[in-house]
Amino acid sequence: MSSGKGGGGGGKKKEVKKETKLGMAYKKDDNFGEWYSEVVVNSEMIEYYDISGCYILRPWAMEIWELLKEFFDAEIKKLKLKPYYFPLFVTENVLQKEKDHIEGFAPEVAWVTKSGKSDLEAPIAIRPTSETVMYPYFSKWIRSHRDLPLRCNQWCNVVRWEFSNPTPFIRSREFLWQEGHTAFASKEEADEEVLQILELYRRIYEEFLAVPVSKGRKSEMEKFAGGLYTTSVEAFIPNTGRGVQGATSHCLGQNFAKMFDITFENDKGSRSMVWQNSWAYTTRSIGVMVMTHGDDKGLVLPPRVAPLQVIVIPVPYKDVDTTAIVNECKKTVEALEKAGIRADLDTRENYSPGWKYSHWEMKGVPLRIEIGPKDMANNQARIVRRDNGAKADIPTVDLVQKVNGLLDEVQKNLFETAKQKRDACLKIINTWDEFIAALNDKKLILAPWCDEEEVEKDVKARTKGDLGAAKTLCTPFEQPDLPEGTTCFASGKPAKKWSFWGRSY
Ligand code: 87F
């Protein structure tokens, strides 16, 4: 396999660490990059692989992905989406069909050129996205208005051979996503769906991953060039002062319908072009969650996406009967599981309770239950929260109810804390000097803007540097007042809207 830019390399090599002792070598506030790598590896979500930008997703990551998938699949089913699977490969001819669409992306496309030792007749691309794979068949399947809407979704992997600094989940050369592709008879139906899907993306971030996001519209420069307009949910990482696009929902208009001849016989008997959307969220969402909630002890998982919500740990004491303690732990796990709580116990004999506490803290399990002889004697158990370390001794009879309540509280607390931290970074500015000061101060900038492409280009050029240039993240749907006479922070022309600006991932 080679790539448009000449194959191989890119990114620095990560040393493979042996799992010797527990604990984190880096602190989130001191060295965020190393801290992040350490969290995803030590929590057993990620294993580094010998191809730069490719990572092994271990069960601790895949189970989170499955929980998100379960929610999203159920929701899009309500919107009448159907599951499909299209091939991984695409011919050069088909890939190039929509020239404008592929142009800027061409260097990232990976190609298969050989089978065994012999060259293929023609190179075959690995899908970076599936518009050109799917739309020839949309053209075939859509004949009359009765074939509309066509709503297709696939869960799959895609490959984009990026050259900028790879980061597990956040920027990898192969990643998992769902891609939704739909076709409608009218623009109104397409517009409505764009927002329905965007709302589901907001819920994934806010209600499941406990990460606050802003819904908004991308600038002309940042939108998907092949489409009509792009909406997104945008998150923000306070430690690095960077915005991160969480998911996108595009209205493609009729551009692809034109290129791929996707038309239908309308009710007047003549042919019309369809209106199309496409939308996706990816495994990047897991990385945003890790960055948002993780701390110096490792991963912190919101209960709704935690593969394990409660870990029960027996705390044996000298000659006290260990079997009785382990049995009590088992009974506790059974009671929790019966109530629909994801729980397990750690009975490994070659590790001390203290080691287990650190281990499960590193993995971010929301609640730990400790049961020792004293707890047995008092018919109680000790519960410890991962998010704030709070401890409480709870009577055994109340345990399940208490755990349910605590899981809700942890979920809520993680979101509220993350929102407070994000909001503390929000800076409303009016002038160029204020903009630069806020940028250097790692703020999430909300600025009045004239909405001209030339001005965004100019801002990019004027802020170019080692850390990357500033750009628009989105124009939030929720707009503050824009008093008459407000001027653009960058051009001095009349401002048309408030937009989020910043460096981004
Ligand atoms: C990289 C290589 C080739 C992004 C690429 O956002 C093509 C592309 O088309 C490419 N990187 N894109 C844009 C993808 C647009 C759109 N596709 C369906 C989405 C949502 C899901």
Side-chain angles (χ1 to χ4, degrees), residues 84-98 101-102 109 124-141 150 152 154 156-159 177 179 181 224 256 260 262 276:
Y84 285 74
Y85 187 79
F86 287 78
L88 169 68
F89 299 115
V90 51
T91 63
E92 181 161 27
N93 207 4
V94 170
L95 188 73
Q96 303 292 354
K97 179 136 187 180
E98 223 289 47
H101 154 224
I102 208 72
V109 177
I124 295 172
I126 302 175
R127 68 175 161 227
T129 177
S130 302
E131 280 80 357
T132 58
V133 177
M134 295 179 171
Y135 297 167
Y137 299 89
F138 279 30
S139 165
K140 179 175 179 199
W141 296 334
L150 174 67
C152 115
Q154 76 174 2
C156 64
N157 58 340
V158 287
V159 171
W177 73 356
E179 51 180 322
H181 294 263
F224 172 35
F256 285 92
F260 289 88
I262 313 175
Q276 288 176 272

Side-chain angles (χ1 to χ4, degrees), residues 297-368:
K297 287 178 172 177
L299 188 61
V300 178
L301 289 174
R304 288 189 81 177
V305 295
L308 208 55
Q309 297 169 310
V310 181
I311 184 70
V312 180
I313 297 173
V315 189
Y317 188 73
K318 283 181 189 163
D319 8 280
V320 184
D321 182 10
T322 312
T323 324
I325 296 175
V326 170
N327 282 341
E328 183 61 25
C329 290
K330 282 186 185 157
K331 264 172 53 190
T332 304
V333 169
E334 275 167 27
L336 292 170
E337 283 183 328
K338 220 171 127 189
I341 296 161
R342 295 187 286 277
D344 203 355
L345 72 170
D346 187 347
T347 55
R348 289 177 289 178
E349 278 167 13
N350 49 334
Y351 292 105
S352 68
W355 187 95
K356 291 176 186 175
Y357 299 167
S358 306
H359 173 74
W360 294 105
E361 278 172 358
M362 183 95 79
K363 290 176 76 74
V365 174
L367 297 177
R368 168 172 94 227

Side-chain angles (χ1 to χ4, degrees), residues 59-128:
W60 207 245
M62 285 306 294
E63 283 174 14
I64 295 174
W65 187 238
E66 282 179 2
L67 287 162
L68 294 177
K69 184 173 172 183
E70 195 183 326
F71 162 74
F72 193 76
D73 252 344
E75 289 298 322
I76 62 175
K77 211 157 246 176
K78 292 184 201 163
L79 297 176
K80 305 270 193 281
L81 265 292
K82 292 290 181 192
Y84 285 74
Y85 187 79
F86 287 78
L88 169 68
F89 299 115
V90 51
T91 63
E92 181 161 27
N93 207 4
V94 170
L95 188 73
Q96 303 292 354
K97 179 136 187 180
E98 223 289 47
K99 287 259 163 37
D100 294 347
H101 154 224
I102 208 72
E103 207 176 44
F105 299 123
E108 290 179 9
V109 177
W111 296 88
V112 179
T113 57
K114 283 176 185 291
S115 81
K117 289 214 162 100
S118 28
D119 286 343
L120 294 185
E121 214 165 281
I124 295 172
I126 302 175
R127 68 175 161 227

